[in-house]
């Protein structure tokens, strides 16, 4: 193989980029718990307001508000970008490799390393690019000097890079599951709690404070002004409102219900007679990845559009904001959904189609297609009942493709329903978080069962 | 039976079928895995996005060092906030 390869561009950066050491020996269950908890703690610490912004400045209309919950981002804090750079970089490279748009031989170790470093490099570059976009397009209020802008940018981009490395720690097996997904899940979990019972007061308009938690706001004001407070709680858009919270909780229940849907393929042992069992293929075969992908695409389109709208000449700018960005964003409320049907349909079609497309290729790009599964079956002397060896791959692919595409469409519809009812991204974030939570739980339980002696286990589980 | 057109033992009987089998084997042999997990090295699974599972060359650092540096980064911003508050109180 000769000629130019995209991955070779990464080579000069190899010695410069920090690389977390892979654990030399198995990380014990207790260490994993400690690492996961401390990483989560660092994430929560990072929800700190950016230094250098005017004090009583509140974003009146944040164009990305409905996208931020999905990526664990918090506007006007260090987590301005959340995990967006990490997730985007991962999707870009893994899809490119899976669909064979870049030439990389992943069975060669050096190529694998280059591939991994390329993802890290892209994540770092994207952190910087996104920050520059925000600064250039006037996302932040006017600041005193160029230095002040640079300082804000340094904090936002720096946090992006820090979280690239923190998710690397998690990914490399010091914690449970995947880094990016863990942070997103943590954000969703904490934000649901604060949305319901957050005690702090937030400046929502000049001289007007509201409690962050829906219940808290209601309880605090129900006696003095019952109608007004109910009205605010049900309709406010700058903070979480009551319908959003109820929707989020309902979505969790629906998703847990669907999580158990599966097709059971009859399998038998090739070694022993009359040993029959079932191999479950879940309806949510690709978990919440398709929704995460759809929103990654949306966030990137919106950032690019925001940039174009800010720097391009007027006709192009108005076209982008009035058509592209308008139609590719969810209506802000149920009324909006009904009043602007084209937007409703276009946005819905985009989410469903991108999720379904992604689901149809992800089993191939994540090494969980029929081919790999069949190889795994063979290794464990399992055969599909009533199928010949040669047709196992075909049969598995058929089931997997159907399951993942149907599952993705179902999840897309669930998150769309929440968006149409005015969920502002919270529903989609919940969809992703529940999916990730189940992966996390599986990893946690399997580690727990094979983890040997564990202090936590003896404390939590009593005498065992 | 004509011995000059003797068929080699084993495999498909016609040349066309033999070629098809050979081609299929050749493509299977040159096919590269589409993901790090397919290559047997961990990585993203069907329900999980993982970016970093191999140890690449680079500036090797301990995870704890990164963790402390990250906390340091955040603390420095906290300190800036605190200093801004203090100076605002005392000098304005």
């Amino acid at each position: 193989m000769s000629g130019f390869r995209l991955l070779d561009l990464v080579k000069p950066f190899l010695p410069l980029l920090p690389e977390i050491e892979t654990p030399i020996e198995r990380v014990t269950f207790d260490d994993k718990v400690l690492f996961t908890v401390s990483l989560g703690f660092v994430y929560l610490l990072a929800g700190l307001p950016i230094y250098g912004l005017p004090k009583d400045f509140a974003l009146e209309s944040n164009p990305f508000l409905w996208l931020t919950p999905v990526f664990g981002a918090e506007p006007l804090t260090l987590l301005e970008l959340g995990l967006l750079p990490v997730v985007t970089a991962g999707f870009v490279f893994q899809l490119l490799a899976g669909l064979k748009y870049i030439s990389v031989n992943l069975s060669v170790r050096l190529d694998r390393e280059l591939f991994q470093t390329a993802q890290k490099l892209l994540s770092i570059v994207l952190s910087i690019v996104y920050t520059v976009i925000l600064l250039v397009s006037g996302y932040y209020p006017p600041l005193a000097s160029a230095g002040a802008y640079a300082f804000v940018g340094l904090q936002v981009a720096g946090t992006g890079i820090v979280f690239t490395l923190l998710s690397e720690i998690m990914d490399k097996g010091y914690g449970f599951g995947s880094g990016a997904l863990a942070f997103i899940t943590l954000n969703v979990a904490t934000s649901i709690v604060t949305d319901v019972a957050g005690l702090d007061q937030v400046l929502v308009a000049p001289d007007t404070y509201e409690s962050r938690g829906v219940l808290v706001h209601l309880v605090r004001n129900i006696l003095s002004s019952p109608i007004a407070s109910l009205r605010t709680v049900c309709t406010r858009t700058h903070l979480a409102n009551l319908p959003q919270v109820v929707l989020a909780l309902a979505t969790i229940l629906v998703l847990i219900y669907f999580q158990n849907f599966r097709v059971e393929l009859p399998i038998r042992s090739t070694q022993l007679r009359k040993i029959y069992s079932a191999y479950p293929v879940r309806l949510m075969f690709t978990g919440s990845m398709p929704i995460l992908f759809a929103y990654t695409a949306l966030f990137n389109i919106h950032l690019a559009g925001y940039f174009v709208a800010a720097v391009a000449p007027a006709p192009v700018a108005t076209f982008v904001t009035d058509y592209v960005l308008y139609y590719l964003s969810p209506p802000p409320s149920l009324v909006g959904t009904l009043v602007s049907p084209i937007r409703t349909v276009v946005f819905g079609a985009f989410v469903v189609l991108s999720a379904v497309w992604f689901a149809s290729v992800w089993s191939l790009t994540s090494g969980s297609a029929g081919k790999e599964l069949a190889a795994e079956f063979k290794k464990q002397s399992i055969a599909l009942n009533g199928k010949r060896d040669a047709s196992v791959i075909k049969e598995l692919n058929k089931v997997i493709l159907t399951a993942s595409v149907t599952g993705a469409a179902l999840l897309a519809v669930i998150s769309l329903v929440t968006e149409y009812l005015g969920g502002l991204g919270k529903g989609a974030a919940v969809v992703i978080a529940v999916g990730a939570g189940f992966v996390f739980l599986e990893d946690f339980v399997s580690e727990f069962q094979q983890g040997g002696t564990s202090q936590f286990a003896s404390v939590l589980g009593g005498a065992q | 039976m004509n011995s000059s057109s003797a068929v080699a033992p084993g495999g498909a009987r016609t040349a066309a079928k033999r070629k098809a089998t050979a081609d299929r084997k050749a493509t299977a042999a040159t096919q590269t895995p589409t993901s790090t997990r397919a290559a047997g090295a961990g990585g993203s699974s069907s329900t999980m996005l993982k970016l970093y599972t191999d140890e690449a060359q680079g500036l090797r650092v301990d995870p704890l060092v990164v963790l402390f540096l990250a906390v340091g980064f955040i603390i420095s911003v906290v300190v800036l906030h605190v200093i801004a508050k203090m100076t605002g109180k005392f000098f304005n």
Side-chain angles (χ1 to χ4, degrees):
Chain A
M1 208 153 56
S2 65
F4 171 76
R5 295 198 317 161
L6 185 70
L7 279 190
D8 290 334
L9 282 178
V10 180
K11 269 186 185 161
F13 295 97
L14 268 183
L16 297 174
L17 289 174
E19 177 75 26
I20 313 278
E21 291 169 354
T22 39
I24 301 163
E25 48 191 26
R26 249 184 83 85
V27 184
T28 60
F29 181 77
D30 289 4
D31 281 349
K32 282 196 174 194
V33 172
L34 278 180
F35 262 110
T36 311
V37 170
S38 32
L39 284 169
F41 184 65
V42 175
Y43 174 82
L44 292 179
L45 268 186
L48 188 77
I50 296 172
Y51 174 76
L53 294 182
K55 213 174 267 165
D56 28 342
F57 164 72
L59 276 182
E60 264 150 37
S61 60
N62 184 341
F64 309 115
L65 192 64
W66 58 278
L67 287 159
T68 49
V70 177
F71 296 93
E74 298 277 355
L76 300 183
T77 69
L78 292 182
L79 290 170
E80 187 74 72
L81 301 171
L83 277 305
L84 179 68
V86 184
V87 173
T88 310
F91 275 141
V92 165
F93 268 99
Q94 293 181 22
L95 284 174
L96 282 180
L99 301 173
K100 307 238 165 200
Y101 286 124
I102 51 172
S103 74
V104 50
N105 186 356
L106 290 170
S107 43
V108 178
R109 193 182 160 84
L110 183 67
D111 266 25
R112 248 184 357 244
E113 289 178 5
L114 276 179
F115 183 68
Q116 177 180 310
T117 310
Q119 297 181 52
K120 191 187 302 176
L121 187 65
L122 183 64
S123 174
I124 292 172
V125 169
L126 283 177
S127 304
I128 297 167
V129 170
Y130 292 150
T131 310
V132 170
I133 286 180
L134 290 182
L135 288 175
V136 171
S137 320
Y139 175 80
Y140 294 111
L143 299 176
S145 63
Y149 278 108
F151 198 66
V152 168
L154 200 68
Q155 293 172 66
V156 174
T159 316
I161 295 167
V162 163
F163 274 95
T164 305
L165 293 177
L166 291 185
S167 47
E168 182 177 348
I169 298 181
M170 205 81 136
D171 278 2
K172 282 205 166 150
Y174 290 100
F176 298 103
S178 136
L181 290 182
F183 292 129
I184 293 172
T185 313
L186 179 61
N187 176 278
V188 174
T190 50
S191 80
I192 285 184
V193 174
T194 47
D195 284 352
V196 175
L199 290 170
D200 56 329
Q201 302 269 311
V202 183
L203 184 75
V204 290
D207 303 326
T208 320
Y209 284 91
E210 276 180 24
S211 297
R212 194 180 288 277
V214 170
L215 277 184
V216 175
H217 184 80
L218 206 58
V219 169
R220 208 170 248 166
N221 301 313
I222 196 94
L223 287 179
S224 54
S225 53
I227 312 262
S229 68
L230 249 172
R231 219 182 110 91
T232 323
V233 150
C234 288
T235 55
R236 65 182 187 179
T237 50
H238 34 270
L239 291 172
N241 55 34
L242 191 61
Q244 280 175 351
V245 171
V246 173
L247 263 178
L249 296 178
T251 315
I252 293 178
L253 295 180
V254 170
L255 287 171
I256 292 174
Y257 176 66
F258 279 122
Q259 198 71 30
N260 290 321
F261 277 45
R262 57 182 182 265
V263 183
E264 294 196 330
L265 298 175
I267 54 172
R268 64 184 166 80
S269 165
T270 51
Q271 308 274 316
L272 300 159
R273 271 167 194 275
K274 297 204 171 161
I275 303 281
Y276 298 105
S277 186
Y279 183 84
V281 175
R282 283 218 195 102
L283 175 60
M284 306 293 173
F285 185 77
T286 45
S288 46
M289 299 309 289
I291 309 300
L292 186 58
F293 171 77
Y295 274 77
T296 310
L298 280 171
F299 208 152
N300 280 288
I301 291 171
H302 274 262
L303 271 169
Y306 191 62
F307 177 67
V308 170
V311 295
V316 181
T318 44
F319 172 78
V320 168
T321 38
D322 289 358
Y323 290 93
V324 180
L325 297 189
Y326 176 77
Y327 284 122
L328 286 182
S329 57
S333 64
L334 182 58
V335 179
T337 308
L338 298 174
V339 168
S340 45
I342 299 179
R343 184 190 198 183
T344 308
V345 170
V346 171
F347 176 73
F350 181 87
V351 171
V352 171
L353 289 180
S354 54
V356 163
W357 173 80
F358 177 83
S360 68
V361 296
W362 184 245
S363 63
L364 280 175
T365 46
S366 66
S368 43
K371 196 173 146 202
E372 286 83 20
L373 213 54
E376 192 62 28
F377 275 16
K378 212 160 205 179
K379 223 194 287 174
Q380 301 178 3
S381 350
I382 296 172
L384 274 188
N385 218 356
K387 293 278 180 279
R388 279 199 276 171
D389 227 22
S391 59
V392 168
I393 295 181
K394 217 184 253 173
E395 180 68 19
L396 283 173
N397 272 339
K398 205 169 74 186
V399 177
I400 286 174
L401 189 68
T402 318
S404 44
V405 166
T406 323
L410 184 68
L411 284 183
V413 169
I414 292 175
S415 36
L416 278 175
V417 167
T418 65
E419 294 284 16
Y420 288 157
L421 294 173
L424 281 178
K426 297 217 182 257
V430 165
V431 168
I432 289 161
V434 171
F438 270 102
V439 179
F440 191 84
L441 190 68
E442 267 166 33
D443 200 20
F444 186 83
V445 170
S446 78
E447 278 295 322
F448 182 70
Q449 283 165 347
Q450 50 183 264
T453 54
S454 159
Q455 303 281 325
F456 281 112
S458 44
V459 171
L460 293 175
Q464 278 186 355
Chain B
M1 200 178 215
N2 193 348
S3 62
S4 65
S5 70
V7 185
R13 291 192 80 80
T14 60
K17 278 188 180 168
R18 275 168 182 277
K19 188 169 179 306
T21 317
D23 281 351
R24 204 164 47 237
K25 275 192 178 157
T27 49
T30 52
Q31 221 166 38
T32 53
T34 50
S35 71
T36 47
R37 184 171 287 263
S44 287
S45 74
S46 60
T47 49
M48 177 167 65
L49 182 72
K50 264 195 179 186
L51 277 69
Y52 313 106
T53 41
D54 271 297
E55 177 150 343
Q57 302 155 29
L59 202 66
R60 292 182 45 158
V61 280
D62 192 83
L64 278 177
V65 174
V66 174
L67 205 59
F68 285 124
L69 287 179
V71 174
F73 176 78
I74 293 164
I75 299 267
S76 65
V77 179
V78 174
V79 169
L80 282 173
H81 275 290
V82 171
I83 290 175
K85 255 232 154 93
M86 304 276 265
T87 48
K89 275 240 167 72
F90 291 129
F91 298 106
N92 280 353

